[in-house]
Amino acid sequence: MRWLDGWSPAPEVRRDPLDPARAAALHALLAFTGSPPPDGFLPPLFSQVYFESLVDPHELGPDGHARGGLLPPIPDRRRMFAGGRLRVAAPLVFDEPASRTAAVARSEVKHGRTGELVFVTVRSELHQSGRLAAVDEQDLVYRSGPATSRPAATPASTVDGVAFRPDAIALFQFSALTANSHRIHYDLRYAQDVEGYPDLVVHGPLLVLAMAERWRSDPSRRPITELRYRLHQPVFLGERVTVTERAVAGPDGTLRASAVVNEGTSG
């Protein structure tokens, strides 16, 4: 893909004082999971509401994302959150300055049924008090052209777990907390007419956070030190999502969690 010729963005370094009020606001959105309020430390993936800032509107592309930086220079791009990995060495402490260094770890062009796809992995290293606290990798997919239709849900057996139904207020609040101005989360006309979705799209990271917080709702469980996740298809405004989790037999205490929509697995 010629648009990526010579594309090698510099790492981005950002600092944050880690005000606990932001984590409290995020936890309020996730209270349905039954997890306890954060106390002294950031729970896994809560760093997503830190180290971010609003971008000058003149520097935004038509999709609402900033031009340049760690986003590939693809015209008419469509950005999808595909998955990621988290490794926690030490939990971040509230009210102590921390830094995040984010960089493109790898990028790859693939060909799918809808054309060329660009897979980009952004690796973020979080440091506090001179030590590495966590490594967070996110896999993002970029393509040009309208969105494809979502596959029909696969019939599934009854799922036990905690259910929630994301509404427009929840999407707005999560966008605000994460400084995410991608229009598919709040601009219905754009989501439908430009990107081809049937409704507003629920943030992938919100679903992953719900699964992690569901695990944290049981105080007898060990803290999450490593997490791998993959999102298979989008979830849309108003759809009922059931978050379930179970421990997989093994000495490593592996956790397997899922977010299920209408009888089909979506995350």
Side-chain angles (χ1 to χ4, degrees):
M1 179 178 284
R2 64 184 180 88
W3 305 105
L4 298 183
D5 291 346
W7 182 63
S8 181
E12 295 181 351
V13 180
R14 295 181 180 179
R15 295 173 175 79
D16 198 289
L18 300 188
D19 181 356
R22 297 191 65 82
L26 176 58
H27 179 263
L29 274 178
L30 299 165
F32 65 86
T33 63
S35 64
D39 184 16
F41 303 93
L42 266 70
L45 297 174
F46 269 54
S47 59
Q48 294 190 41
V49 300
Y50 294 91
F51 307 104
E52 301 293 349
S53 59
L54 295 176
V55 177
D56 185 328
H58 296 94
E59 298 178 1
L60 297 177
D63 58 356
H65 281 304
R67 295 186 176 92
L70 303 182
L71 279 73
I74 303 172
D76 301 322
R77 64 192 175 195
R78 304 288 181 264
R79 180 180 187 269
M80 296 172 285
F81 184 81
R85 294 150 300 282
L86 174 72
R87 180 171 55 84
V88 180
L92 292 169
V93 181
F94 287 129
D95 289 323
E96 290 191 15
S99 66
R100 183 190 72 183
T101 301
V104 172
R106 54 188 170 271
S107 61
E108 183 179 6
V109 178
K110 296 183 178 181
H111 295 271
R113 290 177 298 175
T114 60
E116 287 186 325
L117 302 172
V118 179
F119 290 78
V120 176
T121 296
V122 175
R123 174 186 171 93
S124 297
E125 295 186 354
L126 308 178
H127 288 82
Q128 188 177 58
S129 301
R131 63 181 181 180
L132 178 66
V135 176
D136 185 2
E137 290 189 342
Q138 293 188 351
D139 300 326
L140 307 166
V141 182
Y142 298 87
R143 64 183 178 82
S144 295
T148 58
S149 59
R150 187 176 70 178
T154 302
S157 57
T158 301
V159 176
D160 294 325
V162 60
F164 75 112
R165 194 183 300 272
D167 58 19
I169 295 175
L171 299 192
F172 170 80
Q173 290 179 325
F174 192 74
S175 290
L177 283 169
T178 56
N180 183 349
S181 54
H182 194 182
R183 293 170 65 182
I184 62 172
H185 303 304
Y186 61 87
D187 186 336
L188 179 59
R189 178 172 294 181
Y190 173 86
Q192 292 178 331
D193 296 348
V194 178
E195 299 216 15
Y197 292 114
D199 212 321
L200 296 179
V201 181
V202 177
H203 309 70
L206 178 59
L207 298 174
V208 179
L209 274 160
M211 289 185 276
E213 283 297 278
R214 181 59 180 166
W215 176 261
R216 207 171 63 85
S217 66
D218 185 343
S220 68
R221 292 169 173 164
R222 296 187 303 175
I224 293 175
T225 57
E226 188 169 352
L227 181 65
R228 295 172 179 268
Y229 54 91
R230 183 172 59 180
L231 304 181
H232 299 282
Q233 60 190 46
V235 175
F236 299 107
L237 178 71
E239 290 187 318
R240 186 176 185 271
V241 181
T242 301
V243 180
T244 183
E245 83 293 331
R246 63 185 176 89
V248 179
D252 59 351
T254 303
L255 161 70
R256 178 167 294 169
S258 65
V260 177
V261 178
N262 294 336
E263 303 299 320
T265 300
S266 65

